[in-house]
Amino acid sequence: MKLTRTVRLAVIVAAVAALFAAPMAPVAHAAPGGVVSSTEVSSQELDITVHSASMNRDIPLTVFAPENRSKPAPVLYLLNGAGGGEDGATWQGKTDIAEFVANKHAYVVIPMEGAFSYYTDWIKSDPELGVNKWETFLGEELPPVIDAEYNTTGANAIAGISSSATSVLNLAIHHQGLYRAVGSYSGCASMSSTHGTLFTQIVVEGRGGGDITNMWGEPGGPMWRANDPVLNAGKLRGVSLYLSSASGLPGKHDNPAEVPDPATLADQIVVGGGIEATNRFCTEQLASSLARKGIPATVDRPGTGTHSWGYWEDQLHKSWRQIARALNR
């Protein structure tokens, strides 16, 4: 069943209630399957395109490079949310990422496509969302290209927000040894549960116009269980894990000074608060599953905060020390 735009907000609220009552010219490269083009936006920021053989298209990415590129540096892959950055909701546009990583000795790589795909490999091409083989691209095709193009140490971490906060966990589960650390901010990892499936339907169908059965088949089936980090938490052993989700109550970033438009602020507090409250429940499910298996994880549980960028910026800052420690061990 596809959700219309008219009922999307009602479905979200009902679900929560049920649960909780000056650029330079591009430099062309001739590496097939590798970097197709690279444009220096600034001394430390580049816009590149990388060819994906699995999707047979070029993928745009932003790369933040360390100030000293002569010394090898690790890589943090950082994913945007449900819109994949195609909707303008990006780490670059919504946070202080450029300033924050300027003095960090690391490459930060941000894909700028992947809207409503959950950054996973779909079992079928979708009439609306096309061919999606994002797990193959991110887990197999992209890292060797980045390592060949830049002076990296070969050590990787990955972090994501909202729907991609689940994606980063699955990437670590399915590509053992590729990532030393994972940052999962405000995600719902219990993908095969009723509430996890509902949120996936809201993202893929309600927002993207796609069909979730083209992603992993019928809900509750083997592909859904295989992509449920709560059920597969044991495969995260050995990864430095940072999980976070706020309470959903309005906090320091929910105010007219930061969000001047009244309608946007109301949406952030009401809808964003409901989503974050539900994702807090999901985060506790994952934390409990990890604890039962004796797998350590840092779990940050702010008492206030909604499902919005100001809090994700905070979480990147808070988790950086742990991620950097894992990358440099």
Side-chain angles (χ1 to χ4, degrees):
M1 178 187 71
K2 293 190 177 182
L3 302 179
T4 66
R5 295 180 183 277
T6 311
V7 302
R8 191 178 69 219
L9 175 58
V11 170
I12 295 172
V13 174
V16 175
L19 286 168
F20 303 103
M24 295 172 62
V27 179
H29 294 263
V35 173
V36 177
S37 66
S38 178
T39 302
E40 290 206 7
V41 178
S42 71
S43 62
Q44 288 184 252
E45 182 178 351
L46 304 95
D47 287 340
I48 70 171
T49 56
V50 172
H51 184 73
S52 169
S54 62
M55 292 186 279
N56 192 30
R57 61 189 174 103
D58 295 341
I59 308 299
L61 304 101
T62 292
V63 176
F64 290 100
E67 187 174 17
N68 179 9
R69 298 192 209 178
S70 66
K71 179 182 176 182
V75 181
L76 171 65
Y77 293 92
L78 190 59
L79 305 187
N80 291 308
E86 298 176 39
D87 55 358
T90 67
W91 282 98
Q92 303 93 300
K94 298 293 186 179
T95 74
D96 66 351
I97 183 71
E99 294 80 9
F100 179 69
V101 302
N103 65 347
K104 310 293 189 294
H105 190 68
Y107 290 93
V108 178
V109 179
I110 307 174
M112 298 304 296
E113 285 186 359
F116 315 118
S117 69
Y118 267 84
Y119 287 111
T120 190
D121 281 4
W122 288 42
I123 61 174
K124 294 180 182 178
S125 177
D126 187 84
E128 183 67 27
L129 298 177
V131 174
N132 289 291
K133 297 294 181 183
W134 287 96
E135 185 171 305
T136 297
F137 176 68
L138 293 170
E140 299 175 19
E141 297 175 344
L142 182 61
V145 172
I146 296 298
D147 289 341
E149 185 76 8
Y150 304 108
N151 189 12
T152 73
T153 63
N156 304 308
I158 191 166
I161 60 170
S162 191
S163 61
S164 71
T166 300
S167 309
V168 297
L169 294 163
N170 279 325
L171 279 158
I173 288 168
H174 298 155
H175 298 277
Q176 296 284 304
L178 180 58
Y179 308 105
R180 295 186 180 183
V182 172
S184 177
Y185 317 131
S186 300
C188 186
S190 53
M191 296 297 287
S192 62
S193 69
T194 300
H195 50 277
T197 301
L198 175 60
F199 272 117
T200 308
Q201 188 174 25
I202 291 168
V203 170
V204 173
E205 298 188 347
R207 293 186 61 188
D211 185 337
I212 58 170
T213 64
N214 290 330
M215 187 169 80
W216 292 331
E218 290 296 330
M223 287 293 291
W224 286 82
R225 295 192 295 274
N227 286 280
D228 187 324
V230 175
L231 298 182
N232 297 284
K235 296 179 181 179
L236 290 167
R237 191 179 304 276
V239 180
S240 180
L241 299 170
Y242 184 98
L243 315 175
S244 69
S245 191
S247 66
L249 296 172
K252 64 179 182 179
H253 296 299
D254 305 298
N255 60 75
E258 291 192 43
V259 190
D261 179 63
T264 302
L265 179 58
D267 181 80
Q268 181 168 305
I269 291 173
V270 178
V271 179
I275 294 172
E276 191 70 7
T278 304
N279 285 358
R280 173 68 162 264
F281 176 70
C282 296
T283 299
E284 297 296 353
Q285 288 182 301
L286 178 57
S288 296
S289 182
L290 291 166
R292 286 194 299 271
K293 292 173 172 59
I295 299 174
T298 298
V299 185
D300 191 49
R301 304 171 172 91
T304 59
T306 58
H307 201 71
S308 50
W309 280 98
Y311 301 103
W312 298 327
E313 177 183 282
D314 291 346
Q315 289 301 331
L316 178 62
H317 290 196
K318 293 172 76 172
S319 62
W320 183 266
R321 180 174 295 183
Q322 179 174 329
I323 291 171
R325 187 164 56 243
L327 285 171
N328 290 293
R329 68 171 181 244

